Amino acid sequence: MAGKNKSRDRWRPATQLVHEGTLRSQFGETSEAVFLNSGYVYENAEEAEARFKGETDGYVYSRYANPTVSMFEQRMCALEGAEAARGTASGMAAVAASLLCQLKAGDHVVASRALFGSCLYIVEDLLPRYGITSTLVDGGNLGGWEAAVTPNTKAFFFETPTNPVLDLVDIGAVAKIAKGCGALTIVDNVFATPLGQKPLALGADIVVYSATKHIDGQGRCLGGVVLGPQEFIDETLHTFLKHTGPSLSPFNAWVLLKGLETLPLRVARHCESAARIADFLADNPAVTRVHYPGRADHPQHDIAKKQMAFGGPLVALEVGSRKEDAFAVLNALEIVRISNNLGDAKSLATHPATTTHQRLSPEARAELGIFDNTIRISIGLEDAGDLEADLEQALATLT
Ligand SMILES: *Cc1c(COP(=O)(O)O)cnc(C)c1O
């Protein structure tokens, strides 16, 4: 695919992310072409017939596949070490498809309770409407996963680190329990980034991303991707996507391809700054608690050391003791902007209790470690010293 490269099998991630999957047209363009077309033409009727029968390779319709989208999928496969992948219109389309493509009425799913809001909706509300039952467990408690298994359990689903307070799930241990009962393990790997954690190598079967986050990384477009074994992706998932249509736009695939080229540089900077800012926050008198997997005081730091290459690009903290304290800090910030989004070049802070998790009762939030004074910060690409100064002046409003 990538041309005359005998060394391709030995490429390290930074090289894969610039070259892997490039399908160069007859014009020899350097940057990947945007194939912004919905359909394809055939030389003759026989060719159309053969293409539809699957007897010859080639594209037939962009809801099924598209060259720019294929380039993105192949580059993601190389990065993830996956056999196959499909791009989707958003991260939620990836999560929904990874579950719905394989489940049917009577099946059962076990998921960690600490999930991105829309993922929780799918597991808790949507699946049961179609007769697929679910059990939510405390992701950090291995005994809970085991106890939740029923004879009909078909899938385990979780994210790690979790949104928003960065609790961890031991991927290898949970995947082992799933294997033991014949269920597939699906990991939403957004918060760790594809460079920071390799769920497939740790025993998971399927990985999903919101590419909207660090893969684009510049707040420009929505996208998602599901990665896993060839048969699952090319048969089970592909059939579902082809007929239900949550396709990734070729233009967005192109934006994401450009994002992948700089992913290692950006993720290194995000994570280096996040680690520094977590330490800085821990020393600030207005900060009651810091959640950062890379710090030795994270309650699951041993799991972080086992499965994460770095502490990640997000930091969560508790300030003062009340909602008013959190709001005062958020409103005083000048560089860090208030937004529920994450994984942008711009640092973004959110108050989960009143935004992303406002649907939950205060008790349910407390169970997840989300309090009225909890703030989540997605660390951006600004100068880390400037971010520290901004946080310092905002926190000073409390003391
Ligand atoms: C953002 C996000 C999603 C959803 O992705 P969209 O691209 O917004 O649809 C799912 N899971 C996690 C962990 C996320 O951060």
Side-chain angles (χ1 to χ4, degrees), residues 25-43:
S25 81
Q26 71 269 34
F27 299 115
E29 65 281 354
T30 36
S31 176
E32 295 72 12
V34 192
F35 290 95
L36 210 48
N37 60 301
S38 47
Y40 303 81
V41 296
Y42 313 94
E43 283 306 313

Side-chain angles (χ1 to χ4, degrees), residues 217 265-267 269-270 344-347 379-383 387:
L265 297 168
R266 290 184 290 102
V267 165
R269 172 68 163 270
H270 284 296
D344 196 303
K346 296 174 172 62
S347 290
I379 302 297
L381 299 178
E382 302 94 337
D383 183 281
L387 292 176

Side-chain angles (χ1 to χ4, degrees), residues 4-147:
K4 50 188 170 82
N5 293 295
K6 287 197 224 73
S7 62
R8 184 171 154 233
D9 290 347
R10 295 194 304 274
W11 286 351
R12 295 182 181 90
T15 309
Q16 292 172 330
L17 287 168
V18 174
H19 292 288
E20 188 64 52
T22 300
L23 295 168
R24 213 154 256 138
S25 81
Q26 71 269 34
F27 299 115
E29 65 281 354
T30 36
S31 176
E32 295 72 12
V34 192
F35 290 95
L36 210 48
N37 60 301
S38 47
Y40 303 81
V41 296
Y42 313 94
E43 283 306 313
N44 49 52
E46 287 76 11
E47 192 190 325
E49 181 184 24
R51 203 79 67 86
F52 265 78
K53 280 185 174 162
E55 291 166 1
T56 59
D57 286 340
Y59 294 93
V60 295
Y61 193 53
S62 286
R63 170 152 44 78
Y64 304 5
N66 167 280
T68 310
V69 176
S70 300
M71 290 192 253
F72 168 66
E73 291 164 348
Q74 209 187 322
R75 199 165 287 180
M76 281 303 305
C77 281
L79 173 62
E80 199 68 39
E83 288 178 6
R86 285 295 180 281
T88 55
S90 67
M92 283 324 303
V95 170
S98 72
L99 290 162
L100 289 168
C101 76
Q102 56 166 318
L103 298 172
K104 59 177 189 321
D107 289 345
H108 174 246
V109 177
V110 188
S112 133
R113 188 173 292 115
L115 288 180
F116 184 79
S118 297
C119 300
L120 189 63
Y121 166 79
I122 289 182
V123 172
E124 206 179 18
D125 297 333
L126 185 69
L127 295 182
R129 276 171 36 195
Y130 298 93
I132 301 156
T133 55
S134 58
T135 305
L136 296 172
V137 299
D138 166 5
N141 174 8
L142 294 177
W145 288 96
E146 231 153 338

Side-chain angles (χ1 to χ4, degrees), residues 211-230:
T212 315
K213 311 299 166 53
H214 301 87
I215 291 175
D216 168 38
Q218 290 150 84
R220 301 170 295 192
C221 72
L222 294 175
V225 60
V226 184
L227 301 111
Q230 193 98 43

Side-chain angles (χ1 to χ4, degrees), residues 342-364:
L342 62 103
D344 196 303
K346 296 174 172 62
S347 290
L348 303 173
T350 189
H351 184 249
T354 54
T355 61
T356 54
H357 291 72
Q358 50 116 341
R359 180 167 89 84
L360 303 183
S361 68
E363 296 72 33

Side-chain angles (χ1 to χ4, degrees), residues 88-95 115-119 157 159-163 188-191 208-214 221-224 314 340-342 376:
T88 55
S90 67
M92 283 324 303
V95 170
L115 288 180
F116 184 79
S118 297
C119 300
F157 177 72
E159 59 187 53
T160 178
T162 63
N163 178 42
D188 178 338
N189 205 36
V190 167
F191 274 46
V208 295
Y209 288 101
S210 164
T212 315
K213 311 299 166 53
H214 301 87
C221 72
L222 294 175
L314 289 119
N340 48 292
N341 197 10
L342 62 103
R376 182 197 75 193

